[in-house]
Amino acid sequence: MNCTICKDEMVAEHLVVTKDVKEGHIHVHGPMDDKPLIKEMLDAVHTEAGMMAVESARWEPAGIVPPYVSLSSTSQRLGDTLTATCAVRDFKAAYPHCRIHLSTNFPEVWYHNPYIEEQPLESSDTVEFGTGYLTNKSNLWDLHLANAFRVSLEKHLGIIIPQGPIKPDIWMTKEEIEAPPRIEGPYWIITTGGEPQWTAKMYPDAGWQEVVDLLPEIKFVQLMTINDPRPILNNVINMKGKTNNVRELFKMFYHAQGTLGLVSMHMHLSASFDNPCVVVAGAREPEWFTHYYGHQYLCTNGCLPCASVHACWKCEIFSCKETRKKLGLESFEGATPPCVAMIKPQQIADAVRNYYVGGMLSLEEKRKPTFSNIVEEEKVIAPYREKRKPRLVVESKVAAEINVLASLSSKGGGEQSACKLVETLRGVGWKVNFHPWDKVHANYKDAGVSEVSFKSGRMATEMKRDVPLLFYANDQIFDFCENAKLEVENSSLVGIAINYVNGPLPKCEWLLNGKLRAVFFQNEEKLGEFRSDAGKVFDRVKLVIQPGAIDLERFMHIQVQKRDKNEPLVVLKHCVADYRKYVTKQSVASGNRIHVWQKKIVKEEDAVFYRRFLKKFSNMRFEFMEAHRELREAFPNEPRMVFHEWDAMPVETFLARGHVYLYRTSNLWRDQYPRVVGEALAAGLPVLTEPRDGTKDRVQHGDTGFYCVDYDGFEYALRLLDRKEEYRQDMGSAAREWARYHLDPRLWVKVLEDVFYGNE
């Protein structure tokens, strides 16, 4: 029997309550025995209707506080983590006998915190606490975000925790606050960006520049991460990528007169130090949820039809209803949401000047700090960075030196991975002598590369002798097997990382001189081919699967996108428009057919493949960065096929636009990793792909994505994720967590320690 509402699903898969308005009859269909589901549904109905929820804003305490509590919050952004300190402070004030251990992805925030234990606590259950519950209530309850983690703890433990001050609770040493400031004050900090995927809250770059121009009497210091795509403003001190850790950031804010930016990290940190702060907010969030007392909070709640009753909480500009009305479907790049655009640069400049007009600040004198959480002696209480990550090495156990040889002649993925690997090893204290194969691309001029290349003929005589050599092999595996005997002879041990093909390596018996300790592969299929070709010749050589070193951190903070009702499912793919990476007329009948499904199933060209989707799904959009020419020409005027040019936007911005990642290539292309799939997983996107080569090792079928061998398989997976929104979101979260624990480049440290310095 089909559901009478959606005409497609079984009744048992929907909880449906209908009322005949004329007759007054009420009918209920669905899993009535699922009480938590019913409670969640009723709560959502009350919230959407603006009525008091089924459960009140407070609840009767029912729990007993245990002697030990392990708290975990390992997927929050820096700003949210700052607000978590409020909950720990308030919890400890109410229950001082309870000992607290914490797992976090920002341990530096918690240094010197007197309320937490450094070591894990025995016999304590882990409580996952976060901001989600109160954020979902924010249009109904007038509680500040600084309460979110506290309310989460109350619900999990069944207790009441009295609210403390509405400001993050960070701690600094006397040495930190007395250290000379990096920038001579007085100065204001300006942060023009935020989470790259939250395009629905961004203020235009030209507007920020006008604000700076309107305030020539003020020295501005612009802070941003090294990967931030937004421009450096004129007439500011450029600190892009120069605050290397959270503690340095704390010191910058401690000495600042004030800060200026969006609803983002800066306002939380400003509240920690009682700094003046101007926040350009718009109407995306309720004012009471993110407005700290003492801040100039420029909002437009209630000024637009879409914000007349409650805040929209949209993340992506494409989802902004007012922008859609004004710009249409194709004009979103660089657009500013109307609720933010209403705020003019002069208003922002006036808000800054009000602190001087009112007497809080002086142009001639530095602000006198009021921060009081100061410890006399350094006592770094460092909580676990993340849980369930026993293999992750952040400090090396050995004082190691190593020679690394890699091609650096192009800006390709293999070259980038080699540089990230070297950076990672150096970051844990290894001395790395980084030799290029031949010429060095301009992108790597700051990568600490030696002038002595392999092709110069000087490496064998000038390299550091009797230390391990790691060769990160791309196409050069052929040349290496023929001409690298002296370099191998001068090394204590050798490891070879395969990034392309095995080439002649499985038959290269001269390497069996006792020096070759390990061969590294990026996937099981490539290792199997090597073992098959080599036979038993390499039995004494370790064959290790270790994905390439890729920096995925900038993708980890992309919010898993939630779809509104009737919002299209957005399916993404980003890669070079190579005819092999798409199924084209040239590649459709070519390539290796190794698996049974490859031999028995004939692939259709991408133009046919996607046309079938468009016929099946009316509420689905496909976006590419960039697509092959054949695909673009096949859909010149189809609004559901969106084609971006290569590097039209940062990759993290592109991935934040979608809900699912579909990666299908011709049989000519055999991926080792591939990088794009790792990025999609880290961004929280379920990945649909073929079960072969590198993609087979990256996807956990049913948990982080789906294996699909033909069109029908891809259609089924898309239909399922289109219909099961909660499953899609959970799958995206699982994809990110899997990438976090299995694709971290620091895992290479452990692997190389075992290979070069472990037991025989």
Side-chain angles (χ1 to χ4, degrees), residues 362-386:
S362 167
L363 290 173
E364 289 75 33
E365 298 178 0
K366 296 180 183 179
R367 182 185 63 86
K368 186 177 180 180
T370 59
F371 182 74
S372 60
N373 286 358
I374 303 170
V375 296
E376 289 292 327
E377 297 181 2
E378 181 172 348
K379 184 181 179 183
V380 177
I381 300 175
Y384 278 9
R385 178 169 292 275
E386 287 154 0

Short mmCIF file of all heavy atoms in Angstrom, two decimals, residues 362-386:
data_model
loop_
_atom_site.label_atom_id
_atom_site.label_comp_id
_atom_site.label_asym_id
_atom_site.label_seq_id
_atom_site.Cartn_x
_atom_site.Cartn_y
_atom_site.Cartn_z
N SER A 362 39.74 55.40 23.53
CA SER A 362 40.40 56.65 23.17
C SER A 362 41.35 56.39 22.02
O SER A 362 42.00 55.33 21.97
CB SER A 362 41.18 57.21 24.37
OG SER A 362 42.05 58.26 23.96
N LEU A 363 41.42 57.31 21.09
CA LEU A 363 42.33 57.16 19.96
C LEU A 363 43.78 57.28 20.38
O LEU A 363 44.68 56.79 19.69
CB LEU A 363 42.01 58.21 18.89
CG LEU A 363 40.69 58.03 18.13
CD1 LEU A 363 40.43 59.24 17.23
CD2 LEU A 363 40.71 56.75 17.30
N GLU A 364 44.03 57.92 21.51
CA GLU A 364 45.41 58.16 21.93
C GLU A 364 45.95 57.08 22.86
O GLU A 364 47.16 56.90 22.98
CB GLU A 364 45.51 59.52 22.65
CG GLU A 364 45.36 60.73 21.74
CD GLU A 364 43.92 60.96 21.32
OE1 GLU A 364 43.01 60.67 22.13
OE2 GLU A 364 43.70 61.41 20.18
N GLU A 365 45.07 56.34 23.53
CA GLU A 365 45.53 55.40 24.53
C GLU A 365 45.05 53.98 24.22
O GLU A 365 43.97 53.79 23.66
CB GLU A 365 45.01 55.81 25.92
CG GLU A 365 45.52 57.16 26.39
CD GLU A 365 44.94 57.52 27.75
OE1 GLU A 365 44.16 56.71 28.29
OE2 GLU A 365 45.27 58.60 28.25
N LYS A 366 45.85 53.00 24.65
CA LYS A 366 45.44 51.61 24.52
C LYS A 366 44.38 51.30 25.58
O LYS A 366 44.40 51.84 26.69
CB LYS A 366 46.65 50.68 24.73
CG LYS A 366 47.74 50.83 23.68
CD LYS A 366 48.88 49.86 23.98
CE LYS A 366 50.02 50.05 22.99
NZ LYS A 366 51.16 49.13 23.28
N ARG A 367 43.48 50.44 25.20
CA ARG A 367 42.46 49.99 26.15
C ARG A 367 43.11 49.22 27.30
O ARG A 367 43.99 48.39 27.08
CB ARG A 367 41.45 49.09 25.43
CG ARG A 367 40.30 48.59 26.29
CD ARG A 367 39.43 47.62 25.50
NE ARG A 367 40.19 46.43 25.13
CZ ARG A 367 40.32 45.36 25.91
NH1 ARG A 367 39.75 45.33 27.11
NH2 ARG A 367 41.01 44.31 25.49
N LYS A 368 42.67 49.47 28.50
CA LYS A 368 43.20 48.74 29.65
C LYS A 368 42.49 47.40 29.77
O LYS A 368 41.27 47.34 29.96
CB LYS A 368 42.98 49.54 30.94
CG LYS A 368 43.64 48.90 32.15
CD LYS A 368 43.46 49.77 33.39
CE LYS A 368 44.12 49.12 34.60
NZ LYS A 368 43.96 49.96 35.81
N PRO A 369 43.22 46.29 29.66
CA PRO A 369 42.56 44.97 29.71
C PRO A 369 41.88 44.72 31.04
O PRO A 369 42.36 45.16 32.10
CB PRO A 369 43.73 44.00 29.50
CG PRO A 369 44.80 44.81 28.83
CD PRO A 369 44.66 46.19 29.39
N THR A 370 40.76 44.02 31.01
CA THR A 370 40.02 43.65 32.21
C THR A 370 40.01 42.14 32.43
O THR A 370 39.37 41.65 33.35
CB THR A 370 38.57 44.14 32.12
OG1 THR A 370 37.95 43.57 30.95
CG2 THR A 370 38.52 45.66 32.01
N PHE A 371 40.71 41.41 31.58
CA PHE A 371 40.75 39.94 31.65
C PHE A 371 41.37 39.51 32.98
O PHE A 371 42.43 40.01 33.37
CB PHE A 371 41.56 39.40 30.48
CG PHE A 371 41.64 37.90 30.40
CD1 PHE A 371 40.55 37.16 29.98
CD2 PHE A 371 42.81 37.23 30.75
CE1 PHE A 371 40.62 35.78 29.89
CE2 PHE A 371 42.89 35.86 30.66
CZ PHE A 371 41.79 35.12 30.23
N SER A 372 40.72 38.57 33.66
CA SER A 372 41.17 38.19 35.01
C SER A 372 41.51 36.71 35.17
O SER A 372 42.01 36.31 36.23
CB SER A 372 40.11 38.58 36.04
OG SER A 372 38.88 37.93 35.76
N ASN A 373 41.23 35.87 34.18
CA ASN A 373 41.53 34.43 34.31
C ASN A 373 43.00 34.17 34.02
O ASN A 373 43.37 33.63 32.97
CB ASN A 373 40.65 33.62 33.35
CG ASN A 373 39.22 33.52 33.83
OD1 ASN A 373 38.88 34.02 34.89
ND2 ASN A 373 38.37 32.87 33.05
N ILE A 374 43.86 34.57 34.94
CA ILE A 374 45.30 34.51 34.75
C ILE A 374 45.90 33.54 35.77
O ILE A 374 45.62 33.64 36.97
CB ILE A 374 45.94 35.90 34.90
CG1 ILE A 374 45.29 36.88 33.92
CG2 ILE A 374 47.45 35.83 34.69
CD1 ILE A 374 45.68 38.33 34.16
N VAL A 375 46.70 32.60 35.28
CA VAL A 375 47.39 31.66 36.18
C VAL A 375 48.84 32.09 36.28
O VAL A 375 49.46 32.54 35.30
CB VAL A 375 47.28 30.21 35.68
CG1 VAL A 375 45.83 29.76 35.69
CG2 VAL A 375 47.85 30.06 34.28
N GLU A 376 49.41 31.95 37.46
CA GLU A 376 50.78 32.40 37.69
C GLU A 376 51.79 31.51 36.99
O GLU A 376 52.75 31.98 36.40
CB GLU A 376 51.07 32.44 39.19
CG GLU A 376 50.33 33.54 39.93
CD GLU A 376 50.85 34.93 39.54
OE1 GLU A 376 52.06 35.05 39.25
OE2 GLU A 376 50.04 35.88 39.51
N GLU A 377 51.58 30.20 37.08
CA GLU A 377 52.52 29.25 36.51
C GLU A 377 51.86 28.46 35.40
O GLU A 377 50.68 28.12 35.48
CB GLU A 377 53.05 28.30 37.58
CG GLU A 377 53.83 28.99 38.69
CD GLU A 377 54.34 27.99 39.70
OE1 GLU A 377 54.11 26.78 39.50
OE2 GLU A 377 54.95 28.43 40.70
N GLU A 378 52.65 28.16 34.38
CA GLU A 378 52.12 27.41 33.25
C GLU A 378 51.80 25.99 33.67
O GLU A 378 52.62 25.28 34.24
CB GLU A 378 53.13 27.38 32.11
CG GLU A 378 52.63 26.62 30.89
CD GLU A 378 53.56 26.76 29.71
OE1 GLU A 378 54.46 27.63 29.77
OE2 GLU A 378 53.38 26.02 28.74
N LYS A 379 50.59 25.58 33.39
CA LYS A 379 50.16 24.21 33.67
C LYS A 379 49.24 23.80 32.53
O LYS A 379 48.03 24.00 32.58
CB LYS A 379 49.43 24.12 35.01
CG LYS A 379 49.05 22.69 35.37
CD LYS A 379 48.32 22.66 36.71
CE LYS A 379 47.91 21.23 37.07
NZ LYS A 379 47.13 21.18 38.32
N VAL A 380 49.84 23.25 31.49
CA VAL A 380 49.06 22.93 30.30
C VAL A 380 48.25 21.68 30.54
O VAL A 380 48.77 20.57 30.56
CB VAL A 380 49.97 22.75 29.07
CG1 VAL A 380 49.13 22.34 27.86
CG2 VAL A 380 50.72 24.03 28.78
N ILE A 381 46.97 21.87 30.78
CA ILE A 381 46.05 20.74 30.88
C ILE A 381 45.48 20.54 29.49
O ILE A 381 44.62 21.29 29.04
CB ILE A 381 44.94 21.01 31.91
CG1 ILE A 381 45.56 21.25 33.29
CG2 ILE A 381 43.96 19.86 31.95
CD1 ILE A 381 44.56 21.66 34.34
N ALA A 382 45.99 19.55 28.79
CA ALA A 382 45.63 19.37 27.39
C ALA A 382 44.67 18.20 27.24
O ALA A 382 45.06 17.06 27.38
CB ALA A 382 46.88 19.12 26.55
N PRO A 383 43.41 18.45 26.99
CA PRO A 383 42.47 17.35 26.76
C PRO A 383 42.80 16.61 25.48
O PRO A 383 43.55 17.10 24.64
CB PRO A 383 41.12 18.06 26.66
CG PRO A 383 41.45 19.44 26.23
CD PRO A 383 42.79 19.76 26.83
N TYR A 384 42.25 15.42 25.36
CA TYR A 384 42.46 14.67 24.12
C TYR A 384 41.97 15.48 22.95
O TYR A 384 40.92 16.10 22.99
CB TYR A 384 41.69 13.35 24.15
CG TYR A 384 42.39 12.25 24.90
CD1 TYR A 384 43.53 12.50 25.65
CD2 TYR A 384 41.89 10.96 24.86
CE1 TYR A 384 44.16 11.49 26.34
CE2 TYR A 384 42.51 9.93 25.55
CZ TYR A 384 43.64 10.21 26.28
OH TYR A 384 44.25 9.22 26.96
N ARG A 385 42.75 15.49 21.86
CA ARG A 385 42.33 16.22 20.67
C ARG A 385 41.08 15.59 20.09
O ARG A 385 40.14 16.27 19.72
CB ARG A 385 43.44 16.23 19.62
CG ARG A 385 43.05 16.93 18.34
CD ARG A 385 44.23 17.16 17.44
NE ARG A 385 45.16 18.12 18.00
CZ ARG A 385 45.05 19.43 17.85
NH1 ARG A 385 44.05 19.95 17.17
NH2 ARG A 385 45.92 20.25 18.39
N GLU A 386 41.05 14.31 19.96
CA GLU A 386 39.88 13.62 19.46
C GLU A 386 39.86 12.23 20.06
O GLU A 386 40.89 11.69 20.42
CB GLU A 386 39.88 13.51 17.93
CG GLU A 386 39.59 14.84 17.25
CD GLU A 386 40.18 14.92 15.87
OE1 GLU A 386 40.81 13.96 15.43
OE2 GLU A 386 40.01 15.96 15.24
#
